[in-house]
Amino acid sequence: MAAAQGQFSDHSNDAGDTDGSAGAALPPPFRSAVEALRDARVRPEIEIEPTRAPQRLAPHAYALEATVVDGEDDLADGRLVLLHDPAGHDAWHGRFRLVTLVRAELEPEMAVDPLLPDVSWSWLTGALEARGLAYGEPSGTVTRAGSHYFGGLSERRPSSQIEIRASWTPREGRGGAPDSAAHLAAWCDLLGQIAGLPPAAPGFGPAPAGAEGASGGGVVSLPQRRGPQAP
């Protein structure tokens, strides 16, 4: 699987080349965090593509978007943005912030489950905790929406969608950079969970902390909405 790729925002004074002279002016912790994201390996069902990073949320930003694919079917999609403010941010309680949006279609029986919002939020926190990642100030929303079709679209079956919007502050490590590759791996775990995939095979992303082969610790599951699929 090719390494993940993405783009710097215009505020980072770089169009994606971390080795250029413009990129050399980037704060070293941000450069390190971005390079770790660019070099990370993700499971083959997850396709990551470049996307423009937001320009007003922080002085420096880097963005990725992903789709979970099974054959010709798109099971889920999402966006992950790494923000960095060298001066620190009072609301973040740190200098880095990760922001995400993930969404997927739901089967009708899952959409009406009263536990769905709590369980969906646990997919995010559980994915981070399963990989032993320290983080702070988590916040977000879980939204479920249904669509019914009428007139010329009346032959379509009603559909439901789950959407998770969230942000959290990753703990900064040696050199001032967070372990962004591990956070990307946890985010991919979340994408796989919301898409209904089984846990990833070993070898994608840093190994979860605590035990070899551990995955999904602390994550509550809803019934799978698709048949078993090979990781």
Side-chain angles (χ1 to χ4, degrees):
M1 177 67 187
Q5 297 181 9
Q7 291 182 331
F8 289 99
S9 73
D10 291 345
H11 282 204
S12 295
N13 299 317
D14 194 299
D17 179 7
T18 59
D19 297 321
S21 58
L26 295 173
F30 181 66
R31 283 178 56 86
S32 296
V34 168
E35 287 168 359
L37 287 176
R38 292 167 65 90
D39 292 340
R41 296 179 66 244
V42 300
R43 61 189 296 178
E45 300 96 334
I46 299 178
E47 299 180 352
I48 293 184
E49 298 291 343
T51 189
R52 178 171 292 278
Q55 300 182 20
R56 296 182 177 88
L57 297 181
H60 306 284
Y62 181 81
L64 297 167
E65 63 182 7
T67 304
V68 183
V69 178
D70 179 27
E72 296 184 358
D73 296 327
D74 292 350
L75 306 183
D77 62 76
R79 189 170 190 245
L80 182 68
V81 180
L82 175 69
L83 303 176
H84 178 55
D85 186 339
H89 195 293
D90 290 342
W92 303 351
H93 288 188
R95 297 184 300 168
F96 284 89
R97 189 76 172 170
L98 284 160
V99 182
T100 186
L101 161 68
V102 297
R103 58 194 175 190
E105 296 294 324
L106 290 174
E107 293 297 333
E109 61 271 20
M110 287 187 66
V112 298
D113 192 320
L115 297 178
L116 179 66
D118 292 324
V119 170
S120 299
W121 183 254
S122 82
W123 291 342
L124 170 62
T125 59
L128 293 169
E129 291 161 8
R131 291 188 175 270
L133 293 170
Y135 64 96
E137 305 303 321
S139 64
T141 62
V142 176
T143 304
R144 51 184 167 186
S147 298
H148 296 263
Y149 301 94
F150 301 92
L153 302 177
S154 60
E155 293 184 359
R156 294 188 183 182
R157 295 177 54 191
S159 62
S160 300
Q161 187 180 71
I162 183 74
E163 178 183 278
I164 302 172
R165 293 178 180 267
S167 63
W168 64 97
T169 299
R171 174 177 292 177
E172 297 171 18
R174 185 174 301 176
D179 188 350
S180 55
H183 282 271
L184 175 62
W187 183 68
C188 288
D189 294 340
L190 169 65
L191 276 171
Q193 187 80 20
I194 199 173
L197 297 180
F204 295 102
E212 290 188 10
S215 63
V219 178
V220 180
S221 296
L222 288 174
Q224 265 196 311
R225 57 187 182 277
R226 299 178 180 86
Q229 302 175 47

